[in-house]
Every structure is written in C-alpha cells, then in structure tokens.
Amino acid sequence: MRYFNGCVFTAGLRKKNDDPNTPTNEELRYIQVEGLIQHLLNNHDLCWKEVCWYKENEELQLQTPTLQSFTEMEIEGFWKMLLTIFKLPIQQSLVTCYRTAYNEAFNRKIL
Ligand SMILES: [Zn+2]
C-alpha cells in the first residue's frame, strides 16, 4: 500500500514542481499496476526511486508480503484487482484517485 500511495504522492509532487518527469494519469496507472506487480516480484526496473528504496539499494531484501510466493493465478487475480481499482474516470485528479474505499479493497486482497 505504501508503494501505491507513494506513486500518487510522487506524481503529485512532481506536478507541483513542474517536474518534466511528471507522469500522465496513464503513466501513473501503469506504474501502479505493472510497476507494483514487478516490484513485488523483486524486479525494480519500472520503479521510481522516490517510491522504491530497492532501486538504489539492491542488497535490501524485499519485505513480505510479496508476490514471490504467489502462483501465476494469484498474481493474475491481483493484477485484475488493481485494474478494477483503476476503473475510474480518467479525468479524476491525482488526489481523488486514492480514497479509503480503494485502500480497503487493496488491503482485503493482500490479507
Ligand atoms: Zn521496486
């Protein structure tokens, strides 16, 4: 969940600072779905360094829960769940993208 929120926070911060790396909503969505899944599989190629400590500290071990012990079916279920979270109108602002209801859905799934 920290990863997920971190992406939103970082995107908001970059936008505020007129950072040329400010992601579009589509890019934010991509990093939050594909990036998060890869991150949980211990592949940090897509990760943003603001969000992921492992990107610059490869010796760190990923803390549980991770997806590494999951089956492909379970990972796919997780992936679909993430996509469901993002079935929001694309025009929603970065801030409203993240609401308690989605956090709850996410946490339930993780549990
Ligand atoms: Zn990562």
Side-chain angles (χ1 to χ4, degrees):
M1 202 65 244
R2 207 182 59 207
Y3 188 93
F4 189 90
N5 290 343
C7 288
V8 176
F9 182 78
T10 301
L13 203 65
R14 286 183 184 177
K15 194 172 187 176
K16 189 162 166 258
N17 295 333
D18 286 326
D19 189 319
N21 291 322
T22 301
T24 62
N25 280 348
E26 288 82 358
E27 284 165 346
L28 178 63
R29 186 172 301 196
Y30 180 77
I31 192 78
Q32 285 181 298
V33 177
E34 303 299 336
L36 175 58
I37 287 175
Q38 290 306 313
H39 172 82
L40 291 174
L41 291 169
N42 210 17
N43 169 7
H44 305 288
D45 292 349
L46 293 173
C47 292
W48 293 343
K49 65 179 186 320
E50 294 96 324
V51 179
C52 177
W53 290 355
Y54 304 100
K55 195 161 178 84
E56 293 181 333
N57 299 282
E58 284 176 14
E59 73 282 3
L60 288 178
Q61 288 295 312
L62 204 59
Q63 289 175 352
T64 53
T66 75
L67 292 177
Q68 285 178 297
S69 59
F70 279 36
T71 64
E72 275 186 31
M73 282 277 287
E74 287 171 322
I75 292 173
E76 197 184 321
F78 183 72
W79 182 74
K80 283 184 181 151
M81 189 273 300
L82 288 176
L83 288 183
T84 307
I85 291 177
F86 287 114
K87 281 198 182 131
L88 299 168
I90 200 115
Q91 292 305 328
Q92 291 225 18
S93 79
L94 293 172
V95 177
T96 57
C97 271
Y98 129 66
R99 283 197 203 138
T100 328
Y102 302 121
N103 287 346
E104 282 168 9
F106 185 93
N107 288 333
R108 263 202 305 277
K109 187 76 183 180
I110 287 285
L111 289 172

